[in-house]
Amino acid sequence: MKAADEEAAPTADRAGGLGEVEALAADGLRWLLGAARETEGGGLGWPARPSDAALEAELYGGTAGIVPTLLEARRHFGDDSYGDAALRAARHLAVAAEEAEDDSLYFGRTGMALALRAVQRELGDDAAGAAADRALERVRSRFDGTRWGELFELMGGNAGIGLGALATGDEGLAVLALEPYTRTAEETEAGVTWAHAHRPGLVPRLHHISHGSLGIVYALAAVGGAAGRADFLALARAGAANVTARDEAGPDGFLVAHSDPQYRPDLVERHSYGWCHGPTGDAQVFRLLRDVLAEPGWQDLADRCWHTVTHSGLPRRLRPGFWDNNARCCGTAGVLALACDRMAEQGDAPDFAGVLVADLVARATRDADGARWSNVEHRATPSVLEPATGWAAGAAGIVRELLRFVRVSGKGDPDYAFAWPDQPAVRPPGVVQATEPILPAGPGAPS
């Protein structure tokens, strides 16, 4: 695997320009399609890694997360073969959604329903839409009145189920999923927080989008804005206030610890910088609050997050465990998503996005099978991990962002073929907030 220069990060121009980036994405798609396996009824499914015996259906690391990339490729290249693969993947997901044991957005049935709905909307496949409806009804039937399982956050719990339901068009289920947060919020000196899991004796409180308070804030704001629930919006503001009060990098930056007290200190550094547990994901929450609450101060916080990200040293691998991931969930592709949001929305120069892309180009493994990326686990031997297929850790999430970078750099359409439920749609430069606030400014609103 070719490594990027650790001292001076390459630029997109040095990596060969947009044509080379687009060709790399096409090679990534070729590798993905080569890793697919036939399923009953003419379907297609993917394992999380080519060596795995079992197929995965989930949005996080399986087939449901690959479908959006196929839809992206179809629209980007105008090639219906990618749409045909998405249709076949939907056949597999329709069966998997019936059999799933988990109901969550990223790890279960809600994410499968979301991918099925995307196939229906983009490709006009009514069978996929009917399967999505059945899956959502199954999710609704398994609600215990407070939660669906142990997790209680965005990736594996109520917040994600609410966002997925809203994105599929089921506002009633979205509201049902979010209402428990109004009675489980824990007051803090600055606002409110929540336990990320239903686990006796759990003390640490997580703060960021994937498993922490800001993921719940995002869902409350999105569903509250859509459903006209002022109580959800007030709670979102209070949850955000608890996190912003923990900032350690102001006034120019924004950096909050992963958790307090430290959750699993043997595995996680106190600060992270990507989408999951760092300012990259925080910025997406602040962008949404800006739009829903119509308060420009949230954009200031998003800008401060970006300052911290761009001054952190990533994507250079400064030390073991600092930046070992190329992918969308905790790595370079997730930062690239925000960089492209800012290019389209704020009119940012492409310089830093180009650095990220060049690093992805340099770290790709390319051969006759196509292109893929290996992440690193510095505590393991060997430390270079097998390339993954899916959205979170693998080629699907990286390819999707590379294709968008090509479009945004060429002043093309910044929108995705499939809108991810926890990434706000971009607004053109100069149109950075709603015309009227949905909720008057109150405690917790940024100044």
Side-chain angles (χ1 to χ4, degrees):
M1 179 175 64
K2 183 181 179 182
D5 180 3
E6 300 295 330
E7 297 301 323
T11 66
D13 288 341
R14 286 170 57 188
L18 296 180
E20 171 63 14
V21 175
E22 192 171 57
L24 176 62
D27 280 350
L29 289 161
R30 182 158 54 86
W31 182 80
L32 274 175
L33 291 173
R37 297 178 190 169
E38 301 273 349
T39 65
E40 291 185 12
L44 279 181
W46 278 262
R49 292 163 296 275
S51 67
D52 290 350
L55 300 180
E56 294 289 346
E58 64 181 25
L59 194 67
Y60 185 84
T63 302
I66 292 172
V67 166
T69 297
L70 296 172
L71 297 176
E72 195 73 25
R74 173 183 176 269
R75 184 179 290 188
H76 183 96
F77 291 110
D79 186 342
D80 284 335
S81 67
Y82 297 117
D84 293 340
L87 287 169
R88 295 183 64 192
R91 294 176 199 164
H92 172 62
L93 290 175
V95 175
E98 297 283 350
E99 300 172 348
E101 298 181 359
D102 188 293
D103 292 293
S104 68
L105 175 62
Y106 275 100
F107 310 128
R109 189 176 281 108
T110 300
M112 298 174 210
L114 186 58
L116 287 162
R117 183 72 80 217
V119 170
Q120 178 195 23
R121 289 171 174 171
E122 189 73 9
L123 303 177
D125 185 60
D126 290 338
D133 292 338
R134 292 193 301 272
L136 292 173
E137 282 304 313
R138 179 68 170 150
V139 171
R140 182 181 277 101
S141 73
R142 288 161 59 89
F143 182 52
D144 73 2
T146 301
R147 64 185 79 243
W148 276 266
E150 182 183 54
L151 294 179
F152 196 54
E153 29 69 304
L154 189 151
M155 281 197 153
N158 290 47
I161 290 173
L163 286 173
L166 184 66
T168 59
D170 193 335
E171 186 178 294
L173 178 57
V175 170
L176 184 72
L178 271 293
E179 282 183 333
Y181 291 117
T182 65
R183 59 181 186 269
T184 56
E186 304 168 359
E187 291 191 10
T188 69
E189 292 183 2
V192 299
T193 190
W194 296 266
H196 76 279
H198 182 57
R199 197 175 296 157
L202 180 66
V203 174
R205 294 296 179 259
L206 280 61
H207 304 312
H208 300 278
I209 190 169
S210 62
H211 295 297
S213 292
L214 284 184
I216 297 170
V217 166
Y218 190 107
L220 286 166
V223 176
R229 289 288 298 260
D231 57 337
F232 286 7
L233 297 176
L235 200 58
R237 180 181 279 140
N242 173 65
V243 178
T244 58
R246 299 172 184 274
D247 171 46
E248 301 174 21
D252 296 326
F254 186 86
L255 187 64
V256 172
H258 171 276
S259 51
D260 290 298
Q262 179 84 348
Y263 182 66
R264 297 192 68 180
D266 58 317
L267 296 180
V268 184
E269 293 190 355
R270 180 164 171 77
H271 297 96
S272 301
Y273 294 88
W275 174 82
C276 289
H277 298 293
T280 300
D282 300 349
Q284 300 291 11
V285 180
F286 297 146
R287 289 177 62 232
L288 181 71
L289 290 171
R290 171 205 66 196
D291 295 340
V292 172
L293 299 177
E295 296 166 354
W298 299 108
Q299 180 60 51
D300 295 338
L301 282 168
D303 292 342
R304 286 167 53 187
C305 288
W306 191 237
H307 175 89
T308 293
V309 169
T310 56
H311 288 77
S312 67
L314 69 84
R316 288 177 291 155
R317 298 183 174 180
L318 300 179
R319 60 185 179 274
F322 169 72
W323 200 254
D324 292 340
N325 194 324
N326 303 297
R328 180 60 174 80
C329 183
C330 294
T332 304
V335 182
L336 179 60
L338 179 60
C340 288
D341 288 338
R342 292 185 60 89
M343 288 169 61
E345 189 171 76
Q346 305 293 113
D348 277 14
D351 301 23
F352 192 71
V355 169
L356 300 172
V357 168
D359 193 67
L360 291 171
V361 171
R363 294 189 186 279
T365 297
R366 300 176 79 174
D367 56 23
D369 294 328
R372 60 273 192 200
W373 290 262
S374 296
N375 296 322
V376 172
E377 174 48 75
H378 68 280
R379 295 178 298 266
T381 302
S383 61
V384 177
L385 303 178
E386 180 183 356
T389 60
W391 171 84
I398 296 171
V399 164
R400 184 169 177 263
E401 302 308 333
L402 291 176
L403 291 177
R404 187 182 184 226
F405 170 78
V406 170
R407 291 199 307 279
V408 173
S409 297
K411 307 302 180 185
D413 186 357
D415 292 333
Y416 297 96
F418 167 92
W420 215 259
D422 47 46
Q423 182 180 355
V426 300
R427 295 180 179 272
V431 184
V432 294
Q433 64 182 71
T435 55
E436 294 291 338
I438 296 175
L439 183 70
S447 58

